[in-house]
Amino acid sequence: MTPSRWSRHKRRLALVIPVFLAIGSVARGVAAQAKTFQDLESRVAPGSAVEDLQIRIRWTTRDVVVDPASTANRFELVSVAATSAVPPPRRSRLNVNSLVVVTEDGAGRELGWRVVTDPRSVRAESQPSPSALSGETLYYQDVDLLVVVPNFAGSARIRLFKPRWADGITVLNQIGSVDLP
């Protein structure tokens, strides 16, 4: 390689290498943000406090889909009310109709979590003939999500996650967040 070709080659490498490094750091950041339910469960208790917050959120999805992580979601805080504390649930069971609600403080530290049912899904049964019964699950695009979470000092937001299962691990995909007043 001639010296002039080598210097052009070095200039190209000097331009390309930072791009690959930036792409790698973005990929590592995305991987670092992946949250598993098992990790959340081991680090943070479901939480209980002297009182709970009953939070009503208006949830609108762009598309009617099973997995809300695959469409645009809009969450709007409708109301927050203090209620008497409910004992924390026993070991929560996740299923295809579950959502995980995580309470965070202003610095993003997780304070507690709860498993709730996805209010978008409704089971529709029909009887096409006298001897047959059929059913399907339908999904609303516009619903009210009512969650009850412990009222921790410093609670600043709740994050909403939809679980999915991959190789025996429950991965939590964030579908949105709502800031608390």
Side-chain angles (χ1 to χ4, degrees):
M1 195 176 288
T2 65
S4 64
R5 285 184 64 194
W6 175 244
S7 66
R8 279 194 310 246
H9 185 69
K10 285 192 326 190
R11 279 195 305 261
R12 281 189 204 135
L13 283 176
L15 293 173
V16 171
I17 289 174
V19 171
F20 282 120
L21 293 175
I23 291 170
S25 68
V26 168
R28 282 190 301 278
V30 169
Q33 290 176 355
K35 183 185 297 281
T36 67
F37 183 70
Q38 291 82 354
D39 182 43
L40 176 68
E41 196 175 33
S42 68
R43 286 183 300 105
V44 183
S48 68
V50 175
E51 68 179 9
D52 285 342
L53 292 177
Q54 181 175 314
I55 303 168
R56 183 176 301 277
I57 300 164
R58 189 78 177 155
W59 179 10
T60 307
T61 62
R62 185 181 64 211
D63 303 305
V64 179
V65 292
V66 174
D67 182 7
S70 66
T71 189
N73 295 285
R74 193 181 77 163
F75 296 93
E76 177 186 347
L77 184 65
V78 174
S79 66
V80 177
T83 65
S84 39
V86 175
R90 293 181 294 149
R91 180 155 166 67
S92 299
R93 294 185 147 208
L94 294 177
N95 61 48
V96 294
N97 287 329
S98 295
L99 299 173
V100 178
V101 179
V102 177
T103 307
E104 293 181 346
D105 65 10
R109 284 187 302 268
E110 297 158 334
L111 304 173
W113 56 270
R114 296 277 168 95
V115 174
V116 299
T117 301
D118 184 343
R120 298 172 313 119
S121 65
V122 61
R123 184 79 180 152
E125 303 289 340
S126 63
Q127 193 167 10
S129 70
S131 62
L133 182 64
S134 110
E136 64 181 316
T137 302
L138 305 174
Y139 294 89
Y140 290 109
Q141 281 183 275
D142 192 8
V143 296
D144 277 354
L145 171 62
L146 184 64
V147 297
V148 177
V149 297
N151 187 9
F152 296 114
S155 294
R157 87 187 50 77
I158 59 171
R159 290 201 189 275
L160 302 151
F161 297 89
K162 179 68 177 175
R164 69 177 167 81
W165 290 266
D167 299 325
I169 297 172
T170 308
V171 179
L172 300 176
N173 293 331
Q174 183 175 331
I175 57 172
S177 66
V178 175
D179 290 335
L180 300 175

